[in-house]
Amino acid sequence: MSLIRALSKDLEARSDDSLRALFAARPDLISPAAPDFAALAARASARVSVQRALERLTKPEMQVLEAVHLCTNPDTGHGVSAAGLKKAIAGATLTALEAILHRLGDLALIHRCEPPTGTHPPVSRQRFYLPVGSLKDVVGIYPAGLGRSYTELVRLQPAFAQRVVHLVAELRRSGAGVPEAATPMEAALALQRWTSGPKALDHILAGAPERTRALLDKFGNWAMGAVPQAQRMASIGNEGPDVGPVDWLLARGLLVPLDASHVELPHSVGLALRNGMIVDHFTVQAPQPELGLTSALLRRNAALGAIAEALRLLGELLAAVREQPLATLRSGGVGVRELKRLADRLRLEIRETGLFLEVAALAGLLRLDVDSSTWIQPQGLEWLALPRQEQWLWVVNAWLASERAPSLVGQAVSASAGHQGRPNSAGTTINALSAEAQRPDAPLIRRRVLDILQELTVEASAPDGRAPVLDARSVLERAEWSQPRMARRFSSLVPGILREAELLGLIGSGAFTQLGAAIAVEEPDRALEILGEHLPAAVNHVLLQADLTAVAPGYLAPGLGERLTLLADAEGQGPATIYRFSEASIRRALDAGQDAASILQFLGEHSATDVPQPLEYLVQDTASRHGRLRVASSASFIQSDDEAAIAELLLEAGASSLGLVRIAPTVLTSAASPRETARVLRELGLSPTVQEPEPAVVRYKRTAAVAGSARPVYSAPRSAPAEDDVEAQLAVLRHRRGGAAETSGEAAAQLGLEALQRAIRLKQAVTMNVVDGQGNSNSETVVPVSVSGGRVRVFDPARDTERVLSIHRIVDVEPAAGQAAKPHK
């Protein structure tokens, strides 16, 4: 029976509550709404949907599902029960297996089937299951880490098929108890029988060289391995005393070469190494790492210090960008030279500067000006005026929702990262604010990391309030158990996420903080209360000293810190920052429009001591020399020998649009171009002469000023569909239940593809209706050979030839009654 039809019946028999639970766990099944149960079953069997569902399974659930896959045969309808799985999974109990099978059934990854023919009570009263049809494609060629059978390897590895008969003959001549074989398939079956069972393998390995067992143990979790010169095959009769374990195993077929540097451990050998078990390490309990402990006070102080420092550095970064925007590279992102300039200003390492730059950009504190290709601060940025705890929540919310991975900045671009179109990307590093740091799954992984941190903290917290110290190893260990299919993505992002979480105060002294716990359970108001209670208030004064320095006795208020950064150069890091005044720094403030009186007034208002006399002299002396020479810009100038005419033109109302400025008795400057200036003068009845051609002017398209950014509000990535959508879907399914039409067109396509794939596996003929270009339907009986890329290759027994058909032209597929497949090459 079709697996999709069987799953459809299983879904139709479920209660509405069971379907609601299914839709909550697999929301893609009803996006858009399914027209009937057959379409719902087809979607639940689709490869992409099954792959998404498998990404949420725990390690024991994946182990049971892979064992179900290996212990069943969907083509013959042979299912497996919990009792059958218990014989193949070491350490499993019937209670645990039945609970996991029930869970997999709820997720529509397996469904009930009839007991095998000829079974008797109590076996017939057990529940038997079959997996969805696409599970084999999703799990891959090495389910449970076991390799392919000898027969599959002979069929799929031509080089091995050519020499397997000779290999068996060599084994027989050496005295091995291998059955005689005349064809490659017979040889494969002979090797399979020879290596079946732990005792048989122990007997074979009795005369193996040293380290052979140790080599085989490396294949305990995965069937494929890399070895040099894998296709080299030693002759059994010519083996010397120094033969290595790889050559010895290759010569006996216990390892099968795949190419020049990779080998595969066959299925029967892998099973024998596991004592006949598909899964030899099974537990339903999550791993409990050994963790150190830290005090609650140390954790809190470290987190508060990190938050205060991060907010200070972000404020200083924004001030630096306002002073000089960051230019971008042609390839995108900010280059090392610009990053080095910013790092020198912030007194940080380059990589740490890139991290803060990424955080500022993802929080909307910086934006890319497309007209000038520079990163600038948005106008009217609300963040600058917020209290510090709200500034922190703004940044944390943006970080949680961002699809960027800031900690990747500075790392080498991986050749497997999927950045196409960049031929030498493997030898470069990821630039700040470049596309290479984009990771669409970053929000989901951050969400899961916070959940794991909360789980481990609750499990390992001490009664006296001490919290466990968590590291990347412990988080990855739990992540690989809870979602093993996503282990690779976790391993690439988790270290960086933990580093960023520590920078934002979600982790302090290596432990998950109360702030982190509040964010993990989506209680931002509680996080604000905690931070408002414990974060030290910003200081609004400094200590001015006679050596032309100012000492900040704590983290300064944003306004004071920004103004002081303009007047002096910061030195060092941390709350007690030293600011050094110099002639250059005072001149910088004067250039910004300040004068000596306003500077001294500001320093007097915000100093806990009187303004030292050396500093007062420095400000006044620098201001007295400031502005003696002025530099301005002008697009054109007007010159005349008649001073009276120049004076009249300066007072002429019609010339006000030119922005005239008198710089000499006979010279005026104009803000307009020479041609525009000449045109206005001619309109006034004058006869000017343009002495020079109009200079080239680059005009930039001006964009509207960016209003104050709305505060980012984080909401966890949605995993369940809306309740209204679920109820609407149930209403559609109830209406169609028992209706006239059993299957929709959506399900029919999947059913046809399933029939083709089954016929290919069984080498059976099928009868299909094929529509030609004129819309005429023709019934044909063919033998499907392969399906890929929307096309099916078939053997036509009537014409004794092969053809390729487009799947979309096939209306329906049915097994050909009473017709055997004709052999073909």
Side-chain angles (χ1 to χ4, degrees):
M1 181 180 182
S2 164
L3 293 177
I4 294 178
R5 293 186 188 278
L7 181 57
S8 175
K9 290 185 176 181
D10 180 87
L11 294 173
E12 189 171 0
R14 293 190 181 194
S15 66
D16 288 349
D17 287 341
S18 177
L19 290 174
R20 288 189 184 95
L22 172 63
F23 300 153
R26 300 179 64 179
D28 57 300
L29 298 184
I30 59 172
S31 180
D36 50 39
F37 279 105
L40 186 64
R43 292 184 187 181
S45 303
R47 179 173 181 171
V48 173
S49 181
V50 172
Q51 186 168 348
R52 289 174 181 165
L54 263 57
E55 288 178 349
R56 301 183 181 96
L57 297 184
T58 63
K59 183 176 181 179
E61 289 170 346
M62 272 303 305
Q63 288 175 327
V64 171
L65 186 60
E66 290 177 331
V68 169
H69 164 57
L70 291 172
C71 293
T72 58
N73 188 338
D75 294 330
T76 61
H78 181 82
V80 68
S81 65
L85 290 174
K86 187 176 182 297
K87 300 175 182 178
I89 301 178
T93 64
L94 285 177
T95 302
L97 291 175
E98 287 172 352
I100 293 176
L101 289 172
H102 187 269
R103 163 72 174 158
L104 297 176
D106 287 344
L107 293 174
L109 295 172
I110 62 175
H111 57 84
R112 295 279 300 277
C113 66
E114 295 295 327
T117 305
T119 56
H120 301 285
V123 177
S124 60
R125 289 196 294 269
Q126 297 176 9
R127 296 178 180 178
F128 286 80
Y129 298 90
L130 282 173
V132 293
S134 61
L135 183 63
K136 180 178 180 181
D137 295 332
V138 177
V139 169
I141 61 175
Y142 301 134
L146 292 171
R148 293 167 288 183
S149 65
Y150 279 107
T151 54
E152 287 183 279
L153 290 169
V154 162
R155 183 167 52 87
L156 299 174
Q157 295 292 127
F160 180 63
Q162 290 176 3
R163 61 172 178 261
V164 67
V165 176
H166 175 72
L167 186 150
V168 169
E170 286 282 328
L171 288 171
R172 287 179 59 81
R173 279 194 292 271
S174 67
V178 186
E180 188 176 0
T183 66
M185 193 57 66
E186 289 179 357
L189 293 173
L191 289 174
Q192 202 158 292
R193 287 193 293 270
W194 182 54
T195 57
S196 61
K199 292 183 179 180
L201 185 63
D202 289 341
H203 179 72
I204 297 171
L205 296 177
E210 294 183 8
R211 304 185 308 279
T212 302
R213 275 283 186 181
L215 175 64
L216 289 176
D217 289 341
K218 295 181 179 180
F219 292 87
N221 296 321
W222 199 245
M224 188 179 72
V227 296
Q229 300 178 347
Q231 288 183 335
R232 178 184 62 190
M233 189 170 182
S235 173
I236 295 177
N238 297 324
E239 287 180 354
D242 58 345
V243 63
V246 174
D247 290 335
W248 192 90
L249 293 168
L250 287 170
R252 285 155 181 78
L254 301 180
L255 288 179
V256 175
L258 301 178
D259 53 35
S261 57
H262 295 89
V263 296
E264 182 174 328
L265 189 75
H267 182 86
S268 58
V269 181
L271 271 181
L273 287 173
R274 299 182 184 184
N275 293 317
M277 296 289 183
I278 293 176
V279 177
D280 56 349
H281 295 93
F282 179 83
T283 177
V284 295
Q285 299 296 326
Q288 300 293 330
E290 295 183 3
L291 304 172
L293 296 172
T294 186
S295 68
L297 182 61
L298 186 60
R299 176 183 64 170
R300 187 187 69 188
N301 290 344
L304 294 177
I307 292 170
E309 182 70 359
L311 295 179
R312 183 188 70 81
L313 287 170
L314 287 174
E316 195 170 336
L317 185 150
L318 293 181
V321 172
R322 283 196 300 272
E323 182 179 324
Q324 184 175 350
L326 295 171
T328 59
L329 300 170
R330 287 185 179 180
S331 58
V334 176
V336 175
R337 182 176 299 177
E338 282 287 87
L339 203 59
K340 177 68 166 60
R341 176 179 64 80
L342 187 61
D344 292 340
R345 173 68 182 272
L346 300 180
R347 305 169 306 284
L348 295 174
E349 297 292 333
I350 289 182
R351 189 163 182 180
E352 194 173 0
T353 303
L355 176 59
F356 275 99
L357 186 58
E358 282 278 347
V359 171
L362 66 84
L365 309 183
L366 298 176
R367 72 171 179 88
L368 179 63
D369 181 15
V370 295
D371 294 331
S372 60
S373 294
T374 58
W375 285 89
I376 62 174
Q377 176 191 303
Q379 296 181 14
L381 182 62
E382 181 189 0
W383 186 84
L384 293 171
L386 292 176
R388 289 201 300 168
Q389 58 265 32
E390 293 191 27
Q391 286 184 335
W392 170 82
L393 185 60
W394 174 309
V395 174
V396 169
N397 281 341
W399 173 74
L400 288 170
S402 175
E403 293 186 352
R404 296 190 62 79
S407 292
L408 293 181
V409 172
Q411 294 185 16
V413 178
S414 172
S416 61
H419 304 299
Q420 299 176 357
R422 302 187 62 184
N424 297 319
S425 62
T428 62
T429 58
I430 297 177
N431 291 320
L433 305 181
S434 65
E436 283 82 358
Q438 197 79 8
R439 293 293 183 272
D441 55 356
L444 288 172
I445 294 180
R446 284 194 194 100
R447 175 78 261 170
R448 187 67 190 115
V449 168
L450 291 183
D451 291 341
I452 291 174
L453 290 171
Q454 176 73 345
E455 291 171 10
L456 293 174
T457 300
V458 171
E459 293 172 2
S461 292
D464 58 1
R466 289 183 299 166
V469 177
L470 306 171
D471 55 10
R473 179 192 58 79
S474 58
V475 174
L476 283 172
E477 187 179 45
R478 177 60 62 90
E480 289 171 0
W481 182 88
S482 61
Q483 291 178 276
R485 296 276 296 185
M486 294 183 64
R488 186 174 180 181
R489 280 181 276 178
F490 274 110
S491 63
S492 64
L493 293 181
V494 162
I497 289 175
L498 295 180
R499 181 185 176 198
E500 296 156 17
E502 190 162 12
L503 178 147
L504 297 174
L506 304 178
I507 295 176
S509 189
F512 200 45
T513 64
Q514 290 181 315
L515 292 171
I519 295 297
V521 297
E522 298 185 50
E523 294 182 359
D525 292 338
R526 183 161 69 90
L528 283 178
E529 292 177 4
I530 295 172
L531 197 58
E533 179 183 355
H534 297 290
L535 186 65
V539 298
N540 207 27
H541 67 278
V542 294
L543 303 175
L544 295 177
Q545 302 186 106
D547 61 350
L548 300 181
T549 61
V551 178
Y555 288 105
L556 300 178
L560 174 58
E562 182 179 353
R563 184 83 178 270
L564 196 59
T565 301
L566 182 65
L567 288 169
D569 298 315
E571 298 177 352
Q573 295 289 359
T577 303
I578 296 176
Y579 295 86
R580 185 170 299 280
F581 297 94
S582 64
E583 183 178 345
S585 68
I586 298 298
R587 189 184 304 117
R588 184 171 64 226
L590 295 171
D591 289 340
Q594 301 184 34
D595 54 26
S598 63
I599 292 174
L600 291 174
Q601 181 182 0
F602 167 78
L603 293 175
E605 291 174 352
H606 294 89
S607 175
T609 60
D610 294 335
V611 178
Q613 195 174 55
L615 178 57
E616 185 176 350
Y617 285 166
L618 174 66
V619 172
Q620 292 175 346
D621 186 50
T622 304
S624 66
R625 297 193 304 272
H626 184 265
R628 291 181 179 178
L629 296 177
R630 291 180 174 85
V631 178
S633 61
S634 175
S636 60
F637 67 89
I638 303 170
Q639 184 180 17
S640 174
D641 294 334
D642 189 348
E643 293 185 21
I646 289 293
E648 291 177 2
L649 181 60
L650 190 62
L651 299 175
E652 181 65 48
S656 60
S657 62
L658 297 178
L660 300 177
V661 176
R662 191 170 187 170
I663 60 174
T666 59
V667 180
L668 297 175
T669 63
S670 171
S673 66
R675 293 186 183 276
E676 178 65 18
T677 301
R679 184 188 65 78
V680 173
L681 294 179
R682 291 189 183 104
E683 291 178 353
L684 295 175
L686 303 175
S687 300
T689 301
V690 180
Q691 294 182 347
E692 296 181 359
E694 181 178 2
V697 178
V698 179
R699 292 183 174 85
Y700 293 98
K701 178 182 177 182
R702 295 187 178 275
T703 57
V706 179
S709 304
R711 303 186 190 186
V713 178
Y714 171 72
S715 57
R718 191 176 185 86
S719 58
E723 185 177 348
D724 292 343
D725 294 340
V726 173
E727 296 304 319
Q729 176 66 86
L730 289 175
V732 171
L733 295 175
R734 290 192 196 101
H735 176 71
R736 295 299 296 270
R737 184 179 295 177
E742 181 187 356
T743 59
S744 60
E746 179 182 353
Q750 285 288 98
L751 287 167
L753 186 60
E754 181 189 45
L756 287 174
Q757 292 171 337
R758 185 173 188 272
I760 291 171
R761 292 193 299 268
L762 300 179
K763 298 182 175 58
Q764 290 181 342
V766 296
T767 299
M768 59 176 65
N769 286 334
V770 183
V771 179
D772 59 20
Q774 287 72 38
N776 300 316
S777 177
N778 301 312
S779 179
E780 302 182 14
T781 299
V782 295
V783 180
V785 177
S786 64
V787 176
S788 64
R791 295 175 179 272
V792 55
R793 186 162 62 95
V794 300
F795 173 72
D796 191 340
R799 298 183 178 90
D800 197 22
T801 186
E802 286 189 357
R803 289 186 296 148
V804 176
L805 302 174
S806 296
I807 292 179
H808 72 273
R809 291 189 178 277
I810 301 173
V811 177
D812 59 71
V813 181
E814 296 291 342
Q819 294 197 28
K822 183 177 179 179
H824 63 283
K825 296 181 180 179

